[in-house]
Amino acid sequence: MNKRQIDLVENKAGTKYRRVRGPAGSGKSLVLAGRAAELSKAGKRVLVVTYNITLMNYLLDLSVRYAQNGRVRKEITAINFHQWCRRVACFAGKMDEYNALWGDGGGVENDVSSEVVLSVQLAAKARTWANALEDDERWDAILLAEAQDFQLEWWLALRAAMPSDGSGEALIVADRQQNLYGVAPWTEESMSGAGFRGNWITLEHTYRMSPSLSRLAKEFVDRFLPDAESHRPISPAGEFEFKTKLKWHQIPRDQSPADHCVEALMSILQESTGDPVSVSDLVCIVDNEEIGKEVVDRLLKLQIRSIDTFGHSSERRKRNEQGRRKKLVFFQGDARVKVTTIHSFKGWESKALVVQISKAAGPDNLAMAYAAITRLKRDDRGCYLTVVCSAPELADYGRLWE
């Protein structure tokens, strides 16, 4: 980490409420994970909250790497927001109220169809339940990842679970250029009422991506997301270029994206001679689960094993539960090819990546495309990113690539 990131992790000033923003690859997740580890080492009860289930394992891995101590994984509570609501209902002895929200008592892990319950009613109830918690059931620190995906009411519910004497610490990290769910940004007035005063702390540069990809990512923001945030994914001055292979395949809509994705994965294996990419390094992220399933099937026909986050049941409730279970065990150290959605991979990184994009109409889809192409992690032995795009809106931009 650089000095600014270290200062944020150590928080020697003891600031209680901090908000950090920065472009993709600027180290936001590393700062959050490092701070979680520091607080855990100090004996604090630490809660790390995500929107995506898959992000939890990644943040815990970063905390372990920072602390160089495997115990951190068990000492930090990492959970996605809607599962936290269920947990706090259990702590408060209000499971009857929780089940009543879903009508049949199925619970959020079995039925995620009700947008009203998920976005409004559940958060309001969770805030009430959190206010009723005993002191030993509260969290000394709450750290919020990908805060641009969270509604203000969700944060207010989480805040209610901090110590009642005001001694708790809060840290949120965000990048509105990666707002995949169309959540309206919190106003400065509402943020002040939620505990966050003063200016945002901004991480200025991107360190994860090579300079060549940083330039392309900046061009994407300038063209398609100019009003999302003032910062841009720019490499530090004087940064030298790593071995980076960037390709853009613009394909007709009537061609199979899955075939092109598998071909691109195999091409990365073939091109990485000398400093080879292994099968376990390969990641394919898609904007459509059905295309992801086709990729998995085609890999299997090639006798290449993969791990994915897709449910396969014909019944939606069972399919959602299958997908949730898979997301809980989806982690980067697995020896198989990883196949998942762009939404589930947001916040992660890979040095050998194939991205499938079929939708680019509207700000949500454009933010999803931007989040996807910025998942590449540079590596001095070489990093590889191939985009398979059937969205005509991005064809002109794609011509800037190899």
Side-chain angles (χ1 to χ4, degrees), residues 283-302:
V283 176
C284 180
I285 56 177
V286 299
D287 66 6
N288 182 296
E289 277 201 12
E290 295 307 313
I291 294 174
K293 293 175 185 178
E294 292 178 18
V295 171
V296 171
D297 290 341
R298 283 160 173 73
L299 288 172
L300 189 60
K301 289 179 181 178
L302 294 173

Side-chain angles (χ1 to χ4, degrees), residues 32 46-52 55-56 59 76-85 139 141-147 150 154-155 158 171-173:
L32 183 144
V46 182
L47 177 68
V48 173
V49 185
T50 69
Y51 182 80
N52 290 335
L55 188 54
M56 297 185 300
L59 292 173
I76 295 172
T77 300
I79 195 169
N80 81 313
F81 175 74
H82 293 104
Q83 284 297 307
W84 173 83
C85 291
W139 285 272
I142 298 181
L143 290 71
L144 192 60
E146 304 287 351
F150 282 71
W154 299 5
W155 163 249
L158 289 163
L171 171 66
I172 67 172
V173 300

Side-chain angles (χ1 to χ4, degrees), residues 7 42 80 139 142 156 190 218 222 224 231 316-317 375 377 399:
D7 289 343
N80 81 313
W139 285 272
I142 298 181
L156 295 176
S190 64
K218 177 183 180 299
D222 290 340
F224 303 112
H231 59 249
R316 185 178 64 179
R317 179 172 293 182
R375 295 304 95 206
K377 177 182 69 174
R399 294 188 183 98

Side-chain angles (χ1 to χ4, degrees), residues 3-281:
K3 184 179 184 304
R4 184 165 183 77
Q5 293 166 339
I6 292 172
D7 289 343
L8 290 172
V9 168
E10 293 179 347
N11 191 23
K12 290 182 178 178
T15 307
K16 294 298 183 184
Y17 282 71
R18 295 180 296 163
R19 45 182 178 162
V20 177
R21 64 184 178 185
S26 58
K28 300 182 298 295
S29 295
L30 186 58
V31 166
L32 183 144
R35 186 57 190 158
E38 288 284 355
L39 288 162
S40 177
K41 287 193 297 182
K44 304 294 185 180
R45 294 190 72 213
V46 182
L47 177 68
V48 173
V49 185
T50 69
Y51 182 80
N52 290 335
I53 295 175
T54 48
L55 188 54
M56 297 185 300
N57 281 330
Y58 178 68
L59 292 173
L60 286 173
D61 284 345
L62 286 179
S63 294
V64 170
R65 284 165 54 190
Y66 174 86
Q68 298 184 7
N69 188 333
R71 290 200 307 272
V72 167
R73 175 175 284 274
K74 295 181 179 180
E75 293 168 351
I76 295 172
T77 300
I79 195 169
N80 81 313
F81 175 74
H82 293 104
Q83 284 297 307
W84 173 83
C85 291
R86 188 181 193 281
R87 179 175 294 194
V88 80
C90 183
F91 284 176
K94 299 294 183 180
M95 284 303 295
D96 55 338
E97 294 184 13
Y98 175 87
N99 289 331
L101 288 171
W102 309 99
D104 61 358
V108 67
E109 68 274 22
N110 293 321
D111 186 353
V112 293
S113 62
S114 175
E115 290 300 320
V116 174
V117 173
L118 284 171
S119 61
V120 180
Q121 297 177 358
L122 182 60
K125 283 287 189 180
R127 187 176 179 182
T128 301
W129 301 330
N131 277 319
L133 292 176
E134 300 293 336
D135 288 341
D136 61 353
E137 296 172 326
R138 296 175 177 270
W139 285 272
D140 300 309
I142 298 181
L143 290 71
L144 192 60
E146 304 287 351
Q148 74 277 355
D149 296 336
F150 282 71
Q151 299 180 31
L152 178 64
E153 291 75 13
W154 299 5
W155 163 249
L156 295 176
L158 289 163
R159 188 188 183 194
M162 296 175 71
S164 55
D165 62 3
S167 61
E169 179 178 331
L171 171 66
I172 67 172
V173 300
D175 177 11
R176 208 155 51 84
Q177 292 168 358
Q178 299 184 65
N179 183 359
L180 273 59
Y181 303 99
V183 177
W186 305 355
T187 65
E188 285 300 311
E189 182 180 359
S190 64
M191 291 205 79
S192 178
F196 298 97
R197 299 177 179 86
N199 296 326
W200 281 86
I201 301 168
T202 302
L203 297 173
E204 298 289 349
H205 297 107
T206 181
Y207 298 92
R208 182 179 66 235
M209 296 184 289
S210 65
S212 56
L213 181 56
S214 295
R215 290 190 292 269
L216 289 167
K218 177 183 180 299
E219 178 65 24
F220 190 100
V221 174
D222 290 340
R223 287 193 183 199
F224 303 112
L225 303 168
D227 301 323
E229 205 83 84
S230 59
H231 59 249
R232 293 294 186 268
I234 299 173
S235 296
E239 187 78 353
F240 65 90
E241 186 63 72
F242 282 69
K243 177 184 175 183
T244 308
K245 298 289 287 185
L246 305 173
K247 296 182 180 182
W248 187 285
H249 295 322
Q250 190 73 29
I251 66 172
R253 285 197 178 276
D254 59 356
Q255 290 189 9
S256 167
D259 288 338
H260 285 273
C261 288
V262 172
E263 182 181 342
L265 289 167
M266 297 303 98
S267 178
I268 290 175
L269 289 178
Q270 294 166 4
E271 289 184 19
S272 62
T273 56
D275 290 305
V277 169
S278 68
V279 169
S280 63
D281 295 321

Side-chain angles (χ1 to χ4, degrees), residues 286-354:
V286 299
D287 66 6
N288 182 296
E289 277 201 12
E290 295 307 313
I291 294 174
K293 293 175 185 178
E294 292 178 18
V295 171
V296 171
D297 290 341
R298 283 160 173 73
L299 288 172
L300 189 60
K301 289 179 181 178
L302 294 173
Q303 297 184 330
I304 297 175
R305 298 176 66 217
S306 63
I307 180 174
D308 65 79
T309 59
F310 313 127
H312 294 270
S313 173
S314 59
E315 184 181 341
R316 185 178 64 179
R317 179 172 293 182
K318 289 183 179 179
R319 185 169 65 249
N320 289 338
E321 177 59 18
Q322 288 172 351
R324 193 183 79 85
R325 288 199 303 266
K326 285 186 172 184
K327 290 173 183 177
L328 288 171
V329 297
F330 189 85
F331 75 106
Q332 214 151 14
D334 195 285
R336 295 168 286 182
V337 178
K338 287 83 179 170
V339 186
T340 186
T341 62
I342 297 171
H343 286 85
S344 291
F345 203 72
K346 187 160 69 75
W348 288 57
E349 57 189 23
S350 171
K351 73 172 187 177
L353 183 63
V354 173

